[in-house]
Amino acid sequence: MGTVVDIAVAVVLIYAVLAILAGRPPLSGPAVAVFAVAEGTALWRAFTSGPGWLLWPAFAAAALWLANLVVGFTVMRRLRRTDPQVLREEVLRTATGAAPPQQLVLGVAPGGALMMQGVRPEGGAILAYGCPMCFVEEVVDTLVGPDAPVVAAYRRTLLGGTNRLFDLHRGVIDGRWHADLRPVRGPQRPYRPPYCPVHAS
């Protein structure tokens, strides 16, 4: 029986390591609970009557998990809390000013912070209120055009459990903004704002 438990625990921990390396750390309540139980069981078994090799997946999973938390905390500390209307005007002013950038990247991190390349040097912001996903969708609709198909595609990926970034780029000839979706580097779990009727599910 002990061997079965050891193998099951090792499989869970190795899966957690692979998930973290792939940018999908176990962040939801049930996933964290399973991870914590597997981690505790592996350490208990390794230091008592179980095999010593359980220490390797336990230490690897714990180290990667802590590194992921530290990186996330460091990034969040750099971001400013901003009124959505003020930020929206800032983004649109950047995109439609006298010397607009050729590319803007907008998205929402798993913790709810905005990821923004080409707008602010710190690379993001935290909304003082409102849904960050609605915010990026509204900005894209304003720059690209209302009811842009890319917004519908973005919502489909979110419903499928995968986060994406809006890659906005200006046309070479007409200078108009166009948008595509691109993968997120890092955790790809979508943010689920409990107060938004569109993106909470």
Side-chain angles (χ1 to χ4, degrees):
M1 186 66 178
T3 303
V4 174
V5 171
D6 296 336
I7 293 174
V9 166
V11 168
V12 171
L13 292 177
I14 292 171
Y15 178 81
V17 167
L18 295 176
I20 294 170
L21 292 174
R24 292 177 173 270
L27 297 172
S28 63
V32 171
V34 172
F35 173 75
V37 169
E39 186 73 22
T41 303
L43 293 174
W44 171 71
R45 292 282 296 156
F47 285 113
T48 57
S49 59
W53 58 260
L54 275 176
L55 285 176
W56 293 108
F59 285 160
L64 286 173
W65 175 265
L66 288 174
N68 190 64
L69 290 180
V70 169
V71 170
F73 179 73
T74 304
V75 170
M76 291 293 285
R77 282 192 62 186
R78 290 183 8 226
L79 304 183
R80 291 178 283 162
R81 188 171 294 276
T82 310
D83 182 283
Q85 295 302 322
V86 173
L87 184 59
R88 183 176 185 275
E89 292 173 5
E90 181 182 343
V91 175
L92 295 179
R93 188 167 55 248
T94 300
T96 60
Q102 285 298 118
Q103 182 185 37
L104 294 173
V105 179
L106 300 175
V108 181
L114 289 171
M115 297 181 285
M116 306 185 322
Q117 297 176 17
V119 180
R120 287 185 169 182
E122 61 266 33
I126 299 174
L127 294 183
Y129 59 89
C131 174
M133 291 169 170
C134 289
F135 177 88
V136 295
E137 289 180 2
E138 289 168 5
V139 170
V140 171
D141 272 338
T142 302
L143 293 177
V144 177
D147 301 320
V150 69
V151 172
Y154 175 68
R155 290 186 179 178
R156 286 195 299 271
T157 64
L158 295 178
L159 287 174
T162 304
N163 198 7
R164 285 290 182 265
L165 297 173
F166 285 105
D167 185 354
L168 294 126
H169 44 276
R170 294 173 58 228
V172 177
I173 298 175
D174 57 10
R176 294 177 56 189
W177 284 100
H178 306 272
D180 297 310
L181 295 179
R182 78 179 200 191
V184 176
R185 292 182 180 177
Q188 297 184 26
R189 180 181 61 88
Y191 177 58
R192 298 297 188 194
Y195 45 81
C196 177
V198 178
H199 298 105
S201 59

